[in-house]
Amino acid sequence: MERIVPLKHEIPPMKDLTADNITDNVVTINNQCSHARGKYIFERLVHHLHDFAREVRLSSEEWMLGIEFLTKVGQISDDLRHEMILLSDTLGLSILVDSIDHPRIDTVTEGTVLGPFHTHDAPDTDLGYTLHGDPDATRLFVLCTVKDTQGKPIAEVQADVWEGDSHGFYDVQNPNRQDPDGRAVLHTDSQGMLFFNAIVPVPYPIPDDGPVGAMLRFLNRHPNRPGHIHFMLYKEGYDKLTTALYPRGDPFETSDPVFGVKESLIVDLGIVDEEIAANYDVKKGSALLKYDFVLATNEETGAMREKKAMDAAKKLNRKMKLQNGLPIPDLD
């Protein structure tokens, strides 16, 4: 008995558990949790997980296949390969969570999936930086503004940008990677301008040599993402925006395997004219991507998030209250 962990609470008796009473018993013992939000999340997770098993009549063999699948997802992941994010993306969970946590507000730029290729080692550098040394690429000048919902430019916004090369590979997919390529951290100027040299993005398959790729093949789904450039915009006081821009006309624009494409994020590429070429020291005639980002303040996003949370609770006929902006059961 010397290895027994002391009990912090009196535990309700659990015996003779069946398919009919196991859920209530698990919820009861989990409800010893003192963290209100955590307790609520686990209560609903257990209910939905158990109801799923009952609904599909999950077999022991299928359960083990699921366990082995998730184990493989974890085993293949490392600091540069995020298979769990890829799984979340391909099941539509990533875009759903982003839409809930960062609800659309009028003209505010919509978010999309982070994807599995973001890193934290991009060079923090100056506007006008060239992302790639790719000799096979079609050059693209990216010229953007970042403003608030009132149309005022926002200076010193941190802009984390990244994209693949002309063959559809990100630098982290190179087994000989030594330094970051195709990525940078920039900062908007006093007029809220953001500009850099990139390449015209091309479609590419998401990593399909692991368990997520096997899942897509089992489901008869293709792995091909439309070409895009990732942006992560952040400044204190504003809701962080994780998004991407997609040049129009990509063959996979309407069948993105990670469900990231939104109409407001599809852009028409132009051509660098003489004025832009002179102002930004770029080659006239190069491809041009222009976009106006709009950020919401934390207060604006928080108010909309809380409203949507309470609206959702009403639809479910649940008595809820907000704690730190997130819903929990109102037991008062």
Side-chain angles (χ1 to χ4, degrees):
M1 297 290 287
E2 68 274 6
R3 297 183 61 242
I4 298 300
V5 177
L7 302 183
K8 296 181 179 179
H9 309 280
E10 182 178 350
I11 298 177
M14 292 179 293
K15 299 173 71 173
D16 301 322
L17 301 180
T18 68
D20 294 324
N21 67 21
I22 180 62
T23 302
D24 289 341
N25 276 274
V26 174
V27 168
T28 296
I29 197 167
N30 284 349
N31 278 352
Q32 297 175 105
C33 176
S34 58
H35 188 283
R37 175 68 177 173
K39 180 164 64 175
Y40 175 56
I41 288 175
F42 272 93
E43 177 197 335
R44 301 317 306 158
L45 174 64
V46 169
H47 273 288
H48 288 299
L49 193 60
H50 287 203
D51 285 344
F52 161 76
R54 293 189 187 94
E55 179 182 342
V56 303
R57 309 310 298 173
L58 196 67
S59 71
S60 297
E61 181 180 2
E62 291 166 334
W63 171 80
M64 182 54 71
L65 282 173
I67 295 294
E68 292 173 348
F69 172 76
L70 291 175
T71 299
K72 291 176 181 177
V73 170
Q75 289 172 334
I76 202 172
S77 300
D78 57 29
D79 289 342
L80 296 179
R81 176 163 184 163
H82 302 289
E83 192 83 358
M84 193 64 76
I85 291 179
L86 193 63
L87 175 60
S88 175
D89 291 348
T90 53
L91 292 178
L93 180 61
S94 300
I95 195 67
L96 174 60
V97 171
D98 182 80
S99 298
I100 292 170
D101 202 36
H102 305 277
R104 181 77 187 274
I105 305 173
D106 299 327
T107 60
V108 172
T109 303
E110 291 187 280
T112 189
V113 295
L114 172 69
F117 297 119
H118 178 257
T119 71
H120 296 282
D121 64 349
D124 194 323
T125 187
D126 299 327
L127 293 172
Y129 181 77
T130 298
L131 296 189
H132 287 279
D134 185 345
D136 301 321
T138 300
R139 295 295 159 184
L140 174 69
F141 183 58
V142 180
L143 179 60
C144 303
T145 63
V146 183
K147 299 178 180 179
D148 64 18
T149 55
Q150 306 304 310
K152 297 178 181 178
I154 310 175
E156 289 301 318
V157 174
Q158 177 178 297
D160 201 334
V161 298
W162 67 102
E163 67 167 340
D165 64 18
S166 61
H167 303 286
F169 289 103
Y170 286 81
D171 59 343
V172 295
Q173 294 176 285
N174 182 349
N176 299 315
R177 179 186 192 264
Q178 295 181 338
D179 299 304
D181 185 55
R183 59 185 75 242
V185 176
L186 309 168
H187 302 268
T188 58
D189 66 15
S190 61
Q191 299 303 309
M193 300 299 298
L194 170 67
F195 53 93
F196 57 94
N197 294 284
I199 65 173
V200 174
V202 299
Y204 64 88
I206 58 176
D208 62 351
D209 58 339
V212 172
M215 180 191 75
L216 293 183
R217 288 188 290 275
F218 175 76
L219 296 171
N220 289 324
R221 289 174 54 184
H222 74 74
N224 304 313
R225 291 217 66 197
H228 56 277
I229 302 176
H230 291 274
F231 296 78
M232 184 187 295
L233 305 181
Y234 170 77
K235 182 174 182 177
E236 187 174 354
Y238 292 86
D239 187 39
K240 184 166 74 172
L241 173 66
T242 300
T243 193
L245 298 178
Y246 302 81
R248 191 181 305 279
D250 191 286
F252 304 105
E253 185 178 288
T254 59
S255 60
D256 184 5
V258 303
F259 311 101
V261 181
K262 298 179 180 180
E263 187 63 37
S264 67
L265 302 177
I266 299 174
V267 295
D268 293 299
L269 299 186
I271 301 294
V272 172
D273 60 23
E274 189 171 337
E275 181 181 1
I276 292 176
N279 289 341
Y280 296 97
D281 192 24
V282 292
K283 185 178 179 180
K284 179 183 176 182
S286 301
L288 173 67
L289 187 159
K290 296 182 71 175
Y291 197 81
D292 298 317
F293 291 102
V294 178
L295 302 185
T297 63
N298 287 335
E299 290 76 12
E300 290 170 325
T301 299
M304 181 60 72
R305 185 189 301 120
E306 291 180 2
K307 178 182 182 302
K308 287 185 174 292
M310 297 311 292
D311 288 345
K314 289 179 182 178
K315 288 181 180 179
L316 295 172
N317 293 317
R318 292 201 179 118
K319 185 181 180 184
M320 307 293 288
K321 63 182 180 181
L322 296 174
Q323 183 181 81
N324 299 321
L326 296 169
I328 60 172
D330 186 354
L331 304 177
D332 296 332

